[in-house]
């Protein structure tokens, strides 16, 4: 079986993707998410990702949390909407690190859970992933996991496990957007 490094950013999105990929690959879960803010939220998502690895009997790797580098790289894109330019930079930071680690540790291929989210553009994720793979000499598995009811299925699986489900994408800017939305709803 080929060895795969699978980028994961939380527990609830991933069960379906992990279940599918395990059939064809020897999967290692890889947590590199310097975008997540605040640190307490990072720890919470990390704990759920670890729990999935344990439940699925898969190896787990955590990369160092370096939010300052992420903030520097996304400077100027603070006011972009979700699915905009900031997200593309964010995917690139995370998938480039995944590709680099995959190449250095001798994995045959790397992939990401990201495209399962209805809020994320799989075309952009696949373009960014393929380019990161080319730069580091390791293959990226292109996918659109939300297809064929993927998101619904993974949500059902996650709910049955009882995973914590976040209500914003992850970065400080998406958190602000969520807070603004909630305030507007309350004041409507
Ligand atoms: S909204 Fe999500 S994908 Fe976009 S920059 Fe923030 S954390 Fe990254």
């Amino acid at each position: 079986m080929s060895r795969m490094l699978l980028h994961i950013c939380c527990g609830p999105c991933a069960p379906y993707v992990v279940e599918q990929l395990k059939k064809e690959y020897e999967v290692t879960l890889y947590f590199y998410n310097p975008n997540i803010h605040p640190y307490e939220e990072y720890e919470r998502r990390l704990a759920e990702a670890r729990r999935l690895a344990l439940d699925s009997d898969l190896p787990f790797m955590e990369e160092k949390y370096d939010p300052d580098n992420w903030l520097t790289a996304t400077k100027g894109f603070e006011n972009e909407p979700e699915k905009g330019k900031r997200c593309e930079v964010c995917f690139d930071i995370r998938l480039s690190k995944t590709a680099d680690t995959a190449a250095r540790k001798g994995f045959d291929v790397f992939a990401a859970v990201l495209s399962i989210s209805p809020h994320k553009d799989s075309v952009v994720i696949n373009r960014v992933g393929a380019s990161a793979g080319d730069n580091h000499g390791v293959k990226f598995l292109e996918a659109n996991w939300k297809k064929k009811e993927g998101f619904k299925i993974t949500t059902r699986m996650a709910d049955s496990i009882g995973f914590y489900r976040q209500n914003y994408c992850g970065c400080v800017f998406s958190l602000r957007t969520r807070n603004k939305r909630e305030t507007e709803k309350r004041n409507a």
Side-chain angles (χ1 to χ4, degrees):
M1 254 188 194
S2 301
R3 292 179 66 226
M4 168 181 279
L5 192 63
L6 176 62
H7 179 271
I8 176 175
C9 43
C10 64
C13 287
Y16 170 67
V17 180
V18 167
E19 186 186 77
Q20 295 303 307
L21 289 175
K22 265 178 81 175
K23 293 175 191 165
E24 286 186 52
Y25 299 94
E26 204 180 294
V27 177
T28 293
L29 300 186
Y30 182 72
F31 195 91
Y32 175 62
N33 299 292
N35 52 316
I36 300 174
H37 174 91
Y39 185 65
E40 295 69 36
E41 177 71 19
Y42 174 86
E43 283 194 310
R44 215 168 171 190
R45 296 189 195 189
L46 171 64
E48 294 297 62
R50 272 193 204 286
R51 180 149 77 103
L52 180 65
L54 211 63
D55 290 355
S56 312
D57 201 19
L58 294 177
F60 184 86
M61 291 168 68
E62 181 201 358
E63 199 64 60
K64 189 170 168 270
Y65 181 57
D66 55 355
D68 292 346
N69 289 338
W70 186 91
L71 283 167
T72 304
T74 55
K75 217 170 180 48
F77 300 121
E78 293 85 349
N79 296 319
E80 283 281 313
E82 197 170 343
K83 281 194 177 167
K85 185 69 192 159
R86 188 186 67 241
C87 298
E88 188 169 340
V89 175
C90 179
F91 299 149
D92 185 41
I93 293 167
R94 293 186 282 166
L95 295 184
S96 290
K97 179 75 93 179
T98 314
D100 178 48
T101 304
R104 281 189 298 102
K105 305 271 182 190
F107 285 86
D108 302 297
V109 57
F110 75 106
V113 172
L114 289 165
S115 71
I116 198 144
S117 165
H119 304 293
K120 292 190 174 59
D121 187 339
S122 60
V123 174
V124 176
I125 293 165
N126 287 331
R127 175 163 35 83
V128 169
S131 157
D134 286 347
N135 290 339
H136 292 277
V138 60
K139 184 179 158 34
F140 177 69
L141 181 79
E142 295 190 16
N144 183 4
W145 291 109
K146 66 177 94 36
K147 271 169 75 177
K148 297 189 190 155
E149 309 247 293
F151 184 68
K152 258 193 207 164
I153 298 168
T154 212
T155 300
R156 258 200 317 266
M157 290 171 79
D159 287 349
S160 74
I161 300 164
F163 273 131
Y164 155 66
R165 181 177 298 285
Q166 62 274 1
N167 59 4
Y168 66 103
C169 186
C171 64
V172 64
F173 311 113
S174 61
L175 177 59
R176 274 181 207 159
T177 305
R178 187 219 53 194
N179 290 344
K180 190 165 167 254
R181 217 176 23 236
E182 287 188 349
T183 308
E184 283 167 358
K185 228 191 270 172
R186 268 197 308 275
N187 297 337

